[in-house]
Amino acid sequence: MALAALAGPALGAPDEDVLGRAQGYPIGRPSNWYYDEHVRVGSFSHLDDILPHDTLDRPAASLPLPNAAQMPRIEYRFEGQTLTIDDFLARERITGLLLIRDGEVLVERYQYDRKPSDRFVSHSMAKSIVSLAIGIALAEERIGSLDDTVAKYVPRLKGCPYGETTIRNILRMSSGVPFSEVYDGKDDLSRFNKTRYRKDSVVALCQFDTREVEQGTRFHYASSEPVSLVLLLREVTGQPLSDYLASRLWQPMGAEADATWAKAPDGTVSGSGNFNATLRDYGRLGMLLANDGMAGGKQIVPKDYLLDATEWHRQPHAFAPRQATPYFGYGYLFWLFPGEKRRFALLGVYGQAIFVDPELKLVLVMTAAAKTANVGQLPLGRERDALWRGVVRVYGSW
């Protein structure tokens, strides 16, 4: 099937009226962009029009991302049906979908009037980008060891549980600090963000002052934890994280557009989310990961660090697939698929995802505007997994 047959928008994207089609998919305000469905599509592709941000400048020349001449028919099984990518787009609130194999674009699709130049919000996919920065800083010997505590580099966190947690255990989200994150505006995440924006990041982190289990023994998802790494990276590099990554990641990997990262009043980028990039640049990031940290013939992210971050066999038992969660395992701010093959994901609420298979050089990127933050509560979580399995089976085995 020719690629051109898959280049246009799917007809009848789901819930267009609910998502604001009649109003041209309006952009929200700082107070409503995250929760209000009516502005979700517009806000999730124009967050840098809403929030203060830093910019990661694109390089002078981008890494080519050519279209493949042909692609196989991709089908997947879900709820007793055999379905196609067209079916997936007609069923799920996907704003952009990009499938790459070995550096060539097999499928590139947009819905809800989105376009290639739009920058889509990452949500928690940004946490994996923080992990990459840690790996680069470690290789540059700005960090002595992942088994150092965060407070060794951020003295203001000394005596706070997050500060007295090792970098490695923060990367695995295993500080042992209780933290509720259910996206209802009343949880610990909301309390953390309010304190961070009214005071500063250190005060926000130190208000969580107890542990309920020993660090390193249990995975417990908490968007507060990567913020401690953002503070650490600012200390060890002497510059904002966005500037550090612009020269060490975004430009070397050959991005075609600027990226942006929302920032708090204390000047630190969000870290736990709010990174924004084009669909194709998320694809380039996925390709970098599929190539074990190499782009343009250069090692951008240390390979050994990436293997430690994304290979579930290298994690303690508590962080393996079906142990850390009922399905995924957890590495260094990456989600790890079950199965013997090394496959991993960057995931964000409301359906954002980058799936990577390094052996098959496959990358699947999705941006979305799902009905609820936790897509595990929706068919989307299971259906996108089924689609990914269908893609993998075209080129290999699961």
Side-chain angles (χ1 to χ4, degrees), residues 32-342:
N32 74 340
W33 74 269
Y34 188 78
Y35 291 109
D36 187 345
E37 271 193 295
H38 185 66
V39 300
R40 190 162 295 161
V41 168
S43 300
F44 283 12
S45 52
H46 292 88
L47 188 61
D48 43 25
D49 290 338
I50 302 172
L51 300 179
H53 59 271
D54 287 339
T55 299
L56 289 77
D57 294 330
R58 65 188 183 275
S62 62
L63 184 73
L65 199 56
N67 290 333
Q70 297 276 326
M71 69 159 288
R73 181 173 178 82
I74 294 171
E75 296 180 332
Y76 64 100
R77 293 285 297 172
F78 185 69
E79 294 183 340
Q81 302 178 75
T82 299
L83 302 168
T84 66
I85 288 177
D86 280 337
D87 295 323
F88 180 76
L89 293 170
R91 292 159 59 93
E92 303 292 353
R93 293 180 174 189
I94 303 301
T95 53
L97 186 148
L98 180 68
L99 178 61
I100 299 171
R101 182 169 187 253
D102 203 16
E104 294 187 333
V105 175
L106 299 176
V107 181
E108 182 176 7
R109 298 282 290 273
Y110 300 88
Q111 302 197 113
Y112 307 102
D113 298 337
R114 300 306 92 184
K115 54 190 183 299
S117 60
D118 286 330
R119 279 191 287 265
F120 296 92
V121 69
S122 65
H123 292 308
S124 289
M125 295 196 304
K127 295 178 172 69
S128 304
I129 297 174
V130 173
S131 177
L132 299 182
I134 290 290
I136 294 168
L138 184 67
E140 293 178 346
E141 299 184 346
R142 297 170 185 269
I143 298 170
S145 168
L146 295 184
D147 295 314
D148 290 340
T149 66
V150 174
K152 177 178 178 179
Y153 303 94
V154 189
R156 286 184 64 199
L157 287 176
K158 188 173 179 61
C160 301
Y162 285 136
E164 301 301 335
T165 301
T166 67
I167 299 167
R168 193 184 311 276
N169 288 334
I170 291 287
L171 287 166
R172 288 187 174 134
M173 289 209 185
S174 61
S175 69
V177 176
F179 190 89
S180 64
E181 187 162 340
V182 295
Y183 315 109
D184 64 356
K186 303 173 184 177
D187 55 4
D188 285 337
L189 176 60
S190 180
R191 180 161 68 99
F192 173 79
N193 285 331
K194 286 176 182 176
T195 303
R196 189 181 183 194
Y197 280 80
R198 290 172 181 171
K199 297 182 179 179
D200 68 19
S201 301
V202 170
V203 174
L205 289 165
C206 287
Q207 70 183 324
F208 298 91
D209 56 4
T210 62
R211 291 190 205 272
E212 58 185 3
V213 298
E214 181 182 352
Q215 65 170 288
T217 61
R218 184 196 68 182
F219 168 71
H220 180 74
Y221 192 82
S223 288
S224 51
E225 302 205 9
V227 175
S228 68
L229 301 180
V230 171
L231 294 174
L232 181 153
L233 287 159
R234 182 174 63 177
E235 292 295 324
V236 301
T237 66
Q239 61 185 143
L241 181 53
S242 51
D243 291 349
Y244 183 68
L245 284 177
S247 62
R248 286 163 173 81
L249 176 70
W250 207 245
Q251 292 164 9
M253 81 175 196
E256 68 181 39
D258 296 345
T260 61
W261 209 338
K263 61 183 178 181
D266 65 7
T268 58
V269 295
S270 167
S272 58
N274 297 353
F275 187 90
N276 307 278
T278 67
L279 194 70
R280 292 169 69 87
D281 281 340
Y282 282 132
R284 287 180 173 89
L285 177 62
M287 283 172 34
L288 174 78
L289 297 171
N291 288 314
D292 292 328
M294 290 193 71
K298 297 180 180 179
Q299 194 73 40
I300 308 304
V301 181
K303 181 177 180 178
D304 284 345
Y305 178 86
L306 273 183
L307 291 175
D308 286 344
T310 62
E311 169 59 80
W312 74 257
H313 295 89
R314 295 193 180 200
Q315 314 308 321
H317 179 70
F319 303 91
R322 307 193 192 280
Q323 296 295 323
T325 78
Y327 185 68
F328 287 108
Y330 205 73
Y332 294 170
L333 301 177
F334 285 89
W335 299 93
L336 313 180
F337 280 98
E340 285 306 304
K341 302 283 189 179
R342 175 175 159 243

